[in-house]
Structures are given as structure tokens and as C-alpha cells.
Amino acid sequence: MQLDLNLLTVLDALLEEGSVMGAAERLHLSSPAVSRTLGRLRAVTGDDILVRTGHTMVPTPYAVAIREDVHGLVRRAREVLQPARELNLGELDRTFTIQCHDALATSVVPALAGRLQDRAPGVRLRVLAEHSADTDDLRHGRVDVELGGARPQSPEFRSEVLGRDPLVVAMRRGHPAAGGLDLREFAAHPHVLVSRRGRLTAPIDDVLAAEGLRRRVIASVATLATALQLAVHSDALVSCTAVLSRPLIDAFGLITRPLPAESPEAEICCTWHQRYDSDPAHAWLRDQVRTALTEITTGGPVAVRKSAAAGRE
């Protein structure tokens, strides 16, 4: 038998109001319409639901027995179909998973974690490293947000560019190119590339090729930390972002110089699955990521210039 769940709404109103007229007023329906629905309810349940006693109607024993259950079902259905959009951060109990490369993790995550704990102490943050290949983690909900430079191709994903970061060249203190370098000198030194897929070329190689130059890549590594560790102990150069890479650059005691070629700034993208578009808690998380990144990138260039000036001294 196919049930019309709309019957529950009318049944709830009848049991609450105790009359056809009262139920009709509550539901903004006509009395004849509610009376017809009461007839259907009687046919479905095999019970009279409400019976007349003098000038009033009283519920049957069956109706009394199911009153609370019916009211609970209608309330829960309403909660499902009309979800609350107000977010109580003090009561939010949730674990958010973010996936990003190590430069973003060391620069953005501390600021983000601080914001989350200040505003929603029940929230836990889980940070995963990038995979060497694409995964279905976003699609299947194992990851809430991906931060990085790639924009998704499938329409089921949403993406927002949160900022842009210029590229610089990181090197050890006392490096032969510490005084500055042109394109030819840039090509003459060994290089370490950062690529989660292990690529041995980057867009700068097209610029070099146009000038008849070619650089020597001695290694391709998955993380910026590994690349900078190699630069500490050699004359290898590492091309990286200026602001987001700054915590790691400073931690390794390296200096930076401008990239000796015009190059587009690296995009910083936030990507999530469309299932979370209307989730208030997820939208709040994305706003916190956006704000944390804005705070870092706004103050970052000043820190970069000061550090560069100190390196030249």
C-alpha cells in the first residue's frame, strides 16, 4: 500500500486541536478538505480517530495512544525538510579535514587552527598531505577542503581563488647568486623542483627555452621542505612562492631573490564538493580559511621585503 505522508500532518493537527474546524484553521485549509482527509485517515487506520460526544469531538483510545508518536514524526519531518540555518559555534562538534601541500600547512594552518579554537572550541582540524595522484577523497567526503593551486575540472566541485602569491628564488646564505641573478645566471645553477607528480619541468623552462637557455634540474621532490633542505647544503636554487613559503624559508635559514623573469603569480584555490554548498558549518569553515589566508597574504609581502633586505646585508 502506498501511503500519503501528508496524512500525518493533518492527523497531527486533528489530534492537537480536537476538531475538524480547529485543524483547518491551523493548516490554512477548508473544513471540507480536512473532513475528507479525516475520512481517508479512518479508511487507512480502520479507526474513527475522532468521535462526536455531544457538541464536541473526542479522540479514540487509538488516537490517544499514537498522539505523541505522530507529533514526533511530524516534527522530525519538518526538521528534515526545513533544516536550521543558524550556526551555534559554541555547540559545534565536528572534525574538518583539509588537504594541502606543506607550504600551505606551515603558513595557513596555524592561523586557521587558532581561529577555529577561539570561535568553536568543539571543532577539530585534521590536516592531510597532498597525494602524488588525484583521489576521490573530496567526492566521497573523506576531505572537506583542498587547498592548492589546481582548479577542479568536474562541475560537481566548487572552487574559489582565495589569493595569489608571487614567485621567488630561495637559496642558501652566501650563495654565489645572493647579490641577485639574471636569467642566464639562473639557468647556470642547479635546481630542485617541487612537484607532487615528480615533474622535471615547470613553466619557467619555456621562458628559458625562448632565450636559448636550459637549466639543470638535479631533483624533483614532493614537498617544499625537502627541496629547501637540499638548498641548505648545496648551490641548488628552489623556485617557490614568496609569502606562503616564508615560514619554511625562514626555518631553514635561507634567503630569497626575485625570479629573473616575468611569471604569473601562483593561485591559491579552495576546493570543495557541491554537497557542502548549503552546509552552514562548512560555509563557516571556508570563511575561516579565507580570512586566515587573507591575513597572511596581506602582511606577507612586508615580511618578505624585510627578510630580503636583511639577506642583502
Side-chain angles (χ1 to χ4, degrees):
M1 179 176 61
Q2 186 174 4
L3 295 179
D4 181 358
L5 296 182
N6 289 321
L7 294 176
L8 283 175
T9 303
V10 177
L11 178 58
D12 181 50
L14 285 167
L15 297 178
E16 288 290 312
E17 299 297 333
S19 71
V20 170
M21 183 177 295
E25 291 178 354
R26 178 174 172 176
L27 297 173
H28 305 289
L29 297 173
S30 67
S31 292
V34 174
S35 183
R36 287 193 297 272
T37 303
L38 177 57
R40 293 177 59 197
L41 284 165
R42 287 168 171 167
V44 169
T45 63
D47 188 88
D48 285 334
I49 308 297
L50 292 175
V51 294
R52 185 167 295 283
T53 302
H55 297 293
T56 62
M57 300 190 77
V58 296
T60 64
Y62 168 76
V64 172
I66 66 170
R67 178 185 291 158
E68 292 302 319
D69 287 340
V70 170
H71 187 66
L73 286 171
V74 172
R75 177 178 51 81
R76 286 193 291 273
R78 189 173 292 115
E79 290 172 353
V80 170
L81 297 176
Q82 299 175 345
R85 295 302 178 191
E86 299 237 345
L87 188 61
N88 187 335
L89 295 178
E91 297 180 359
L92 184 59
D93 182 9
R94 189 156 165 179
T95 298
F96 289 114
T97 301
I98 292 178
Q99 191 168 57
C100 60
H101 57 73
D102 59 332
L104 275 163
T106 54
S107 58
V108 176
V109 170
L112 176 61
R115 293 186 64 84
L116 298 187
Q117 284 305 297
D118 287 344
R119 292 158 177 78
V123 167
R124 296 160 299 280
L125 189 62
R126 188 170 63 153
V127 182
L128 304 181
E130 280 187 319
H131 288 289
S132 60
D134 294 334
T135 70
D136 285 334
D137 289 343
L138 268 182
R139 176 174 287 113
H140 295 300
R142 292 186 290 267
V143 169
D144 290 288
V145 164
E146 279 186 0
L147 297 177
R151 299 194 196 189
Q153 300 300 316
S154 173
E156 69 183 284
F157 299 111
R158 303 288 186 261
S159 183
E160 178 184 357
V161 178
L162 301 183
R164 291 174 174 81
D165 200 352
L167 298 179
V168 293
V169 182
M171 64 191 75
R172 66 174 177 83
R173 294 185 184 276
H175 192 284
L181 69 172
D182 57 20
L183 201 59
R184 186 169 297 278
E185 189 173 7
F186 174 82
H189 290 286
H191 291 258
V192 177
L193 268 61
V194 181
S195 171
R196 70 183 179 111
R197 298 181 186 275
R199 292 191 176 104
L200 292 170
T201 60
I204 187 65
D205 291 292
D206 295 332
V207 178
L208 293 172
E211 298 295 327
L213 301 173
R214 182 178 180 181
R215 62 177 174 169
R216 181 167 61 95
V217 175
I218 61 172
S220 174
V221 297
T223 66
L224 178 62
T226 304
L228 297 180
Q229 181 69 37
L230 289 171
V232 169
H233 301 288
S234 70
D235 283 342
L237 303 177
V238 178
S239 298
C240 56
T241 54
V243 179
L244 296 181
S245 301
R246 178 52 53 186
L248 284 173
I249 291 169
D250 290 343
F252 283 102
L254 299 172
I255 59 174
T256 60
R257 296 294 178 262
L259 192 71
E262 287 191 12
S263 177
E265 296 181 329
E267 288 187 341
I268 308 160
C269 296
C270 175
T271 303
W272 66 96
H273 195 272
Q274 63 180 350
R275 69 162 66 88
Y276 294 120
D277 276 352
S278 58
D279 180 355
H282 199 279
W284 175 77
L285 169 68
R286 300 194 302 267
D287 185 60
Q288 297 308 304
V289 171
R290 185 186 304 108
T291 302
L293 188 58
T294 298
E295 290 174 353
I296 292 167
T297 54
T298 299
V302 175
V304 170
R305 288 195 297 270
K306 287 182 178 178
S307 179
R312 283 192 291 271
E313 295 174 358

